[in-house]
């Protein structure tokens, strides 16, 4: 089961995902302090909790840890959407309602995504524009695939 990140967890993960490199608690702290007053120990605890929950992996560098994301924000978002959809007693109606909430730009992104995961082989019109073939599906319901660094 994928649990939504708390507000501070999301703020930390947003930075880790945006920077897309191993980071220290101090780096995250300094960036967070631009928006709020927060203690080093609070950020350290949140990052340790995210490590324990499996969102971050860490390696030792001197006396400090460097943390990096285990998965991507898109994989996290997809797992949350899958979890919500799976909880519905009428998945088709849930999808219709969800699609009805989408902006025109979101609907276009949905069309693009459907073309990427289509079971039909790519044709000459879409293959060059898409670049790479889609990766494997998540391991199980509500699980995001691990980011293998590619």
């Amino acid at each position: 089961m994928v649990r939504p990140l708390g507000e501070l967890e999301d703020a930390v993960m947003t930075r880790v995902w945006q920077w897309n490199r191993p980071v220290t608690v101090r780096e995250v702290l300094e960036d967070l302090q631009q928006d709020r007053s927060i203690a080093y120990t609070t950020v350290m605890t949140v990052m340790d909790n995210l490590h324990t929950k499996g969102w971050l992996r860490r390696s030792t560098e001197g006396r400090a840890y460097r943390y990096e994301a285990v998965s991507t924000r898109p994989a996290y978002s997809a797992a949350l959407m899958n979890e919500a959809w799976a909880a519905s007693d009428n998945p088709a109606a849930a999808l219709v309602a969800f699609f009805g909430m989408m902006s025109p730009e979101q609907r276009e992104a949905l069309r693009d995504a459907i073309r990427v995961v289509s079971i039909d082989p790519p044709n000459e019109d879409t293959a060059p524009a898409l670049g790479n073939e889609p990766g494997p599906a998540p391991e199980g319901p509500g699980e995001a695939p691990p980011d293998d660094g590619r």
Side-chain angles (χ1 to χ4, degrees):
M1 180 168 143
V2 177
R3 293 183 188 263
L5 296 170
E7 183 215 346
L8 190 51
E9 289 175 327
D10 186 68
V12 168
M13 288 304 298
T14 293
R15 281 149 179 87
V16 175
W17 282 321
Q18 285 175 342
W19 296 338
N20 197 29
R21 63 175 172 76
V23 301
T24 64
V25 171
R26 175 82 45 209
E27 290 173 301
V28 174
L29 170 72
E30 289 172 359
D31 199 61
L32 285 170
Q33 285 179 330
Q34 294 177 26
D35 300 328
R36 64 176 93 193
S37 176
I38 190 166
Y40 180 92
T41 54
T42 301
V43 178
M44 182 179 64
T45 298
V46 169
M47 293 179 77
D48 184 62
N49 289 343
L50 287 165
H51 172 259
T52 301
K53 291 177 180 181
W55 288 107
L56 294 174
R57 71 173 138 287
R58 67 185 178 196
S59 57
T60 306
E61 185 176 287
R63 293 180 24 198
Y65 286 118
R66 283 216 173 258
Y67 292 86
E68 61 185 315
V70 170
S71 191
T72 63
R73 179 173 291 278
Y76 165 70
S77 297
L80 287 177
M81 289 187 288
N82 187 57
E83 189 82 21
W85 185 52
S88 173
D89 60 347
N90 188 340
L95 284 175
V96 168
F98 180 66
F99 296 156
M101 295 177 199
M102 291 178 141
S103 69
E105 294 81 18
Q106 290 170 321
R107 285 191 200 107
E108 187 58 34
L110 175 62
R111 285 184 202 94
D112 291 344
I114 290 171
R115 281 193 290 270
V116 169
V117 298
S118 172
I119 59 171
D120 296 329
N123 64 38
E124 294 169 6
D125 295 332
T126 59
L130 297 176
N132 297 324
E133 289 297 312
E139 296 295 316
E143 294 181 19
D147 184 4
D148 64 359
R150 285 191 254 167

